[in-house]
Amino acid sequence: MAELYELTITEARRRLDAGDITSVQLTEAVLERIAAVDSQVRAYLAISDDLAMRQARAADARRRAGNATGPLDGIPLAIKDVINVQGLTTTCGSKIIENFVPPYDSTAVARLKDAGAVLLGKTNCDEFAMGSSTERSAFFVTHNPWDLERVPGGSSGGSAAAVAAGAALGALGTDTGGSIRQPASLCGVTGLKPTYGRVSRYGLVAFGSSLDQIGPFAWTAQDCALILGAIAGADPHDSTAAPQPVPDYVAGLNGDVRGLRVGVPKEYFVEGLEAGVEAAVRDALELLRANGAEIVDVSLPHTKYALPVYYIIAPAEASANLARYDGVRYGVKQAGDSYWDELERTRGSGFGAEVRRRIMLGTYALSAGYYDAYYKRAQQVRTLIRRDFEQAFAQVDILAAPTSPTVAFKIGEKTDDPLAMYLEDVCTLPINLAGMPGLVVPCGFSAGLPVGLQLIGRPFDEGTLLRAGDAYQRLTDWHTRRPALTAST
Amino acid sequence: MEYLVTIGLEVHAQIRTQSKMFCGCSAEVANAAPNTHVCPTCMGLPGALPYINRRAVELAALTGLALNCRIEHNNVISRKNYFYPDLPSSYQRSQFDDPLCVAGWVEIAGEDGTRRIGLTRVHIEEDTGKLNHQADGSSLVDFNRAGVPLMEIVSEPDLTSPDEARRYFQKLQQLLRWIGVNTGNMEEGALRCDANVSVRPVGQKEYGAKVEIKNMNSFRAVERALTYEIQRQKAALDAGETIRQSTRGWDEARSVTVEQRLKEGSEDYRYFPEPDIPPLRLSDEWIAARQAELPELPAARSARFIAAYGLSATDAEVLTADRADSEYFEQAVAAAQAQGVGARDVAIWVTGELFRLTKETGESLGDIHDRFKPAYVGEVIALLANGTITRTSAKEVFEASFRDGSAPAQVVHARGLAVIGGGDALAGLAREAIANNPKSVADYKSGKVVAIKFLVGQVMKASKGQANPQAAQAALEEELGRV
C-alpha cells in the first residue's frame, strides 16, 4: 500500500471523506517525508509546519462537523516563492527581497485557503522566475528527484520537485515562458499553465505581466483540475483576470478522446529535440489515435520568432516590474552616500546575474530610438504568433507537442550558456505569447528520465485539455511512477 | 531687439474622487497623518496590481468636454519609468500615445477681445508620494498622495504674455471648479502648473530654446516667474548669449528662476503600455453620458444672464465667475420675480451689498446658501419695492438677515422697521406734531401752506424715518382739517 505522501489528491480526499485518514495524519506524513528527503532535493525555501498543522487540525474539525469546504479541504500543498502568502516570507529566490513578508494573501492562495488547503511552505525557484533550471535561485540549487545530479527544470523547479519527491500532494507554480510545463516534464509530474487571465495574478510577484500565469502541479490531470477549479475566476483586484465562468473541470473528465482532433505542429519537432523525447511524444500521439482521436499535421509558421519576441517582451516588462526594488519601502537596502548611490548599491548587489542581464535587455528594448525596432515590432510579431494558433484551432481542438527538447540535464551543464538555457523553453514560450493554456502529462522516459507531453488548448478551454490529459492517464501509468528516492540518514 | 514670446502651460489637476486612481484607498489625503491612506497597490508592494477608478476616467472625460476636446475611444494607460523615492513602483501610470482627450480649446477675455487658446491634450495619471525633507538632511516619504488621480492639461504654445498665461490658468481653475472635478486649491497642491517659455527675435521663424519653469504655486507666481524669465532670456540674447534648453525653478523669496538641470535631448521615460490594465474602450454611449453630465458652462450661462435677465456684460461675468454664485443668483432671481421684482435689481444687490458682506466674512455664496437663503435677497428687495421699508432699512435688514439667517420680514418686525404708511400710528404722530407746534399750525391755517413741510419733518423725526413722507403729509392734512 502506498505511503500517504504518495497519494494523489483525489485518492487522499476519498480517504479523508471516508474517515480512513485525517488531514493531520496526512500532513504529518508529508512533513516527515520533507524532513526525510528535502535535504537531498532542496525543493523548499521555507517550511511552514506550524501553519500547516494548524490548517490540518482545522480541516479535520470541519470534516468532523460535516462542514468540509471542498475538494481540497485538508490537502497539503506547496507554494512557489513568487506567490504571496500573508505572513510567510516571499523571497522570489532573490537576495534583494529575502526579508520581505507580505501583509496580504495572493488571490490564488486566498482561494486555496478558502478551499481548505493546507500550506506546507514556499518552494525554490529561479530568481524572480527567470530561468529554466532553478539553478538561478540566489539561495541554493534544487535537485531532480529522479536523478539528484540533474536539474528539476525551472523556474518552478521547487514546486515540481516537491510533488515528484512526495514532499507535497500538489503545488502552485507560475509559468511565464514554460516555468510550470518544463519542470513538470523534467520531473515526471502533471502541470498546467492556464489561459492568460484564467487565474488572478494578484499577489504573484510580477516578472512578465502580459505572460505570467499561476497554475497547478500534481500527479494527475484530475488533481490539476481540482486545484484549477479552486483558484480560477475573475478577481476585482486583477483587471486582467477574465470574467469567463469557471466550469466544473472534474465533472468534464469523461475519459473519452474519440473524435478529438489533435493538431501536431511540425515546427515543434525542433532541431536539438532528443530522439528519446520525440519517441515518447510520438508514442503518446499514436496511443491517442488508437483510442479514437484524430491526429492532424498543422503548421504554426511564426514559431521560429517566438524566442526572440519573448526575449524582448518579457525582459521589457521585467525591467519595469523589478524597478520597484529600490530598498526604500522593503527589501534589503545597501547604505550609500545618497539616494542614487544607495539605489545603485542596492540593485547592483541585490540582483543576480541573470536578472541583471534581463533588466538590461528590457531597458534597452524600451529605450527611445529602439522602442519601435524592438518592443513595438515584437508586439506585432506576437500578434502573428497568436494568429497562428487561432488558425490552427479553426482546424483542431487541441495541439500536442514536446514540452522541452531535452530531459533533465546535469546541474551546471548550461549555466554558462544563456542561449542554450533559453532554448529549453523553445516549445513552451509561444504558448505564453499567444495566451493559450498548456497541460503537460508524463508520457514516458528517455534514458531513465521523465518526458512530458504538452497539450495546448483554445483560450479558456482548459476543460478539453484536462479531459484529454485525464483520458491519456487512464490509458497509461507514467503518472504513477515514483522516483526511487531514499531517505537520507 | 524686438522679441516674440511663446508660452505653453502644463497644468496638473487632482481629480476629485473618493478613492485613488488604481486602488480603493481614500483620496482625501490633504490633512491625513503620513502613510495612513496606503495599501499594497499604492505602496507598490511585490505582487500588487492596479485596478482603474472608473469615476476618475469619467471626470477626466467631463473635463475634456468642458475644454472642447475630442474624447478618444481607445485609451491606453502607459508606464512612465523613472526612479525616485516618492514613486512606489518606480513607474508612474500615465498616458502617452493615446490620451483620453485631444484637440480642445478655451476662450479667455483680453483687452483686444476674446482669445482662443488651444489644448493639445488632457490625459489621466496617478500622483506621486511626497518627500518631507528633514533638518538633518534626510527625507521622509509620505505615500498618502501616491495614486491620487491626476489630469495633465497641456496647452498649445499659444500664450504670448505672462498676463495671458495667468488668465488662461485662472480660466482653467474656474472651469475645473465649475464642473466639480477639482478643488482649485493651489496651496494643497490640488492644482499645479509648469510653464514652457521661449523667446525669439521678431522675424525668426523657428522657436527659441524651450525653458521649463517649475514650482509656481500661485497665479501671481506664474505671472511673475514668466515675466522674470522672459526678461532674463531677452537680456541674455541681447548680450549675445545662447539660451539652452533647461529646467528652472521659481524661487519665490528671491523672485528669480534658478537653473535646475539642462536637458540634453529629451528624457527617456521608456513609456510602454501598462500590461496590468487592459486598454479602455469608450463607447459613443459612454461619451454621450458624459456629455449629458456636463453642466451649463460659465460662458453659456453668462450669455443667458445677459439675454434672459438684461444684465450688463460686467455683471453677468461677475455672477458667473463661480458656479455656486451663479446658482445662488438665479435662485434669488426666481424668488424676487415671484414677488414682482426684476433680475437687474437682484444683480445690483448681489454684486453690491452681498459681495461686500461675503468679502468681509471670507465666505462664498455656496457657504452662506443655507443661512442667508437666496429667497431672502428677493424678499428684501420686494419689501423695499413695495414701500414696506426704506432703502436705509433695506440695507439694515439685508445685513441682519445675512448675519444670523433670520427671515427679512422677521427682522423688519422685530426691529420695527416697517414704514409707517398710514393708519392710527401715523395719525397719532400727526396729532402729536400738531399739538406740539401751534405756531406752524397757525401759519398753515392762515394760508402759509408750506408750513406743513415743517410738520412733516416733525412726524418723520418722531417716526425715526420710518414714515413715508407723502403718507405723513396726507395724515397731517387730514388731522389739520379737524383742528
Side-chain angles (χ1 to χ4, degrees), chain B residues 420-435 455 459 462-463 467-468 471-480 482-483:
Chain B
I420 302 174
D424 294 344
L426 199 54
L429 290 176
R431 284 195 293 273
E432 209 174 300
I434 290 164
L455 294 172
V459 171
S463 76
N468 180 315
Q473 184 164 335
L476 278 165
E477 282 166 355
E478 194 179 332
E479 292 301 325
L480 285 166
R482 293 180 187 161
V483 175

Side-chain angles (χ1 to χ4, degrees), chain A residues 41-42 92-94 124-144 148-158 182-183 186 352-355 408-418 420-422 424:
Chain A
V41 177
R42 310 215 70 184
C92 301
S94 182
N124 199 17
C125 55
D126 291 293
E127 186 175 2
F128 287 105
M130 297 179 185
S132 307
S133 68
T134 316
E135 293 166 291
R136 293 293 185 185
S137 165
F139 302 107
F140 47 77
V141 174
T142 296
H143 301 257
N144 191 315
L148 294 170
E149 291 181 9
R150 291 176 186 268
V151 302
S155 65
S156 311
Q182 184 254 16
L186 269 51
E354 180 61 28
V355 172
F409 47 91
K410 285 264 173 69
I411 289 167
E413 195 179 319
K414 298 187 179 183
T415 41
D416 294 334
D417 187 351
M421 193 71 90
Y422 294 173
E424 270 296 302

Side-chain angles (χ1 to χ4, degrees), chain B residues 103-157:
Chain B
W105 48 265
V106 291
E107 277 180 344
I108 56 172
E111 293 104 42
D112 38 351
T114 303
R115 274 255 295 148
R116 188 174 276 202
I117 308 300
L119 288 171
T120 314
R121 58 191 281 163
V122 178
H123 74 244
I124 48 177
E125 60 185 30
E126 58 182 339
D127 212 338
T128 61
K130 229 174 182 172
L131 291 184
N132 294 321
H133 301 294
Q134 305 297 298
D136 66 356
S138 66
S139 299
L140 300 176
V141 201
D142 176 4
F143 290 104
N144 281 346
R145 204 180 68 178
V148 167
L150 275 186
M151 300 178 274
E152 182 172 329
I153 303 167
V154 182
S155 83
E156 291 287 308

Side-chain angles (χ1 to χ4, degrees), chain A residues 22-205:
Chain A
T22 65
S23 177
V24 166
Q25 287 170 335
L26 181 63
T27 302
E28 278 175 345
V30 176
L31 287 171
E32 280 164 23
R33 174 69 173 173
I34 293 170
V37 300
D38 203 45
S39 59
Q40 306 163 64
V41 177
R42 310 215 70 184
Y44 283 90
L45 283 166
I47 296 151
S48 49
D49 39 6
D50 285 349
L51 171 67
M53 290 309 297
R54 233 176 19 249
Q55 290 172 325
R57 284 191 292 272
D60 286 337
R62 283 193 295 272
R63 200 165 247 112
R64 276 195 305 274
N67 295 329
T69 58
L72 297 175
D73 208 1
I75 302 294
L77 303 175
I79 309 293
K80 185 181 182 181
D81 205 24
V82 292
I83 301 171
N84 285 335
V85 180
Q86 184 178 357
L88 302 186
T89 308
T90 301
T91 70
C92 301
S94 182
K95 293 279 185 198
I96 204 162
I97 52 165
E98 66 180 352
N99 58 358
F100 173 67
V101 181
Y104 71 105
D105 273 330
S106 57
T107 298
V109 164
R111 288 178 180 174
L112 285 183
K113 285 181 174 175
D114 288 346
V118 169
L119 304 184
L120 296 162
K122 306 298 291 287
T123 55
N124 199 17
C125 55
D126 291 293
E127 186 175 2
F128 287 105
M130 297 179 185
S132 307
S133 68
T134 316
E135 293 166 291
R136 293 293 185 185
S137 165
F139 302 107
F140 47 77
V141 174
T142 296
H143 301 257
N144 191 315
W146 294 90
D147 178 347
L148 294 170
E149 291 181 9
R150 291 176 186 268
V151 302
S155 65
S156 311
S159 287
V163 172
L169 270 63
L172 292 188
T174 65
D175 191 317
T176 305
S179 281
I180 289 173
R181 289 160 292 155
Q182 184 254 16
S185 179
L186 269 51
C187 288
V189 299
T190 300
L192 172 66
K193 182 204 92 76
T195 310
Y196 184 79
R198 177 74 294 184
V199 178
S200 167
R201 293 182 295 115
Y202 186 70
L204 156 62
V205 179

Side-chain angles (χ1 to χ4, degrees), chain A residues 209-263:
Chain A
S209 308
S210 72
L211 302 156
D212 296 340
Q213 265 294 290
I214 294 174
F217 288 97
W219 282 111
T220 65
Q222 184 174 10
D223 286 0
C224 286
L226 284 172
I227 298 175
L228 181 66
I231 62 176
D235 177 11
H237 285 98
D238 179 359
S239 316
T240 66
Q244 274 85 344
V246 179
D248 183 340
Y249 293 113
V250 176
L253 305 179
N254 61 10
D256 192 356
V257 292
R258 281 173 302 171
L260 186 75
R261 291 169 302 166
V262 180

Side-chain angles (χ1 to χ4, degrees), chain A residues 84 100 103-104 201-204 209 236-240 320-321 323-324 329-330 339-340 343 347 363 366-368 371 375, chain B residues 40-41 43-51 79 81 83-85 88-91 141 143 268 270-273 275-276 278:
Chain A
N84 285 335
F100 173 67
Y104 71 105
R201 293 182 295 115
Y202 186 70
L204 156 62
S209 308
H237 285 98
D238 179 359
S239 316
T240 66
N321 285 330
R324 68 187 59 194
R329 285 146 295 133
Y330 46 76
Y339 166 70
W340 299 104
L343 186 68
R347 293 172 61 79
T363 303
L366 290 173
S367 296
Y371 180 89
Y375 185 80
Chain B
T41 295
M43 282 285 279
L45 292 197
L49 293 173
Y51 39 101
R79 292 184 182 179
N81 296 285
F83 287 104
Y84 209 64
S89 303
S90 300
Y91 52 80
V141 201
F143 290 104
D268 189 356
R270 304 189 308 281
Y271 283 97
F272 73 102
D276 289 332

